[in-house]
Amino acid sequence: MNTQLKTVEKIRASYTEKQTTKFDKLKQIDRKVKRPARIFAYVFGSLSSLVLGFGMCLCMKVIGASLSFSMPLGIAIGLLGILLVCINYPIYKGILKTRKNKYSNQVIELSDSLLNN
């Protein structure tokens, strides 16, 4: 009987319109703040590691074995990839900080109203 009641409640909940609460709004703003920074970090980090890997392949003559200058070119590209990988985190933190500053008033307002209730 208890399982049937849970099933009935679950079905009923799927047909009723969900009311958004202040807590839901707070979570939504938090996701809105963090998502662009995360997407940037994943994409930029992936591309940076590919640049680093391409440089390594040139150094080991996996790619461009017939080129006489593949080793110095590979070192240069590898160093560029290392640099890009190293600056990924500071750029991520900068984007996150900028977005937090932009939405901080809304988050503080909502969290204060939730904490005071």
Side-chain angles (χ1 to χ4, degrees), residues 15-71:
Y15 283 92
T16 58
E17 189 174 320
K18 186 178 178 188
Q19 301 293 328
T20 56
T21 63
K22 289 182 181 180
F23 181 68
D24 293 332
K25 182 73 173 166
L26 183 64
K27 288 191 324 187
Q28 181 183 15
I29 292 173
D30 187 50
R31 283 191 303 266
K32 186 177 180 180
V33 167
K34 293 177 180 175
R35 183 175 291 132
R38 285 183 181 163
I39 289 172
F40 171 81
Y42 290 137
V43 170
F44 188 76
S46 298
L47 293 176
S48 300
S49 64
L50 287 172
V51 170
L52 175 60
F54 181 70
M56 287 175 37
C57 287
L58 280 174
C59 284
M60 295 185 298
K61 299 194 183 231
V62 173
I63 299 173
S66 62
L67 295 175
S68 62
F69 55 91
S70 68
M71 177 69 86

Side-chain angles (χ1 to χ4, degrees), residues 105-117:
N105 291 336
Q106 292 177 3
V107 169
I108 291 172
E109 221 175 83
L110 278 172
S111 60
D112 283 347
S113 69
L114 285 169
L115 292 173
N116 291 333
N117 286 338

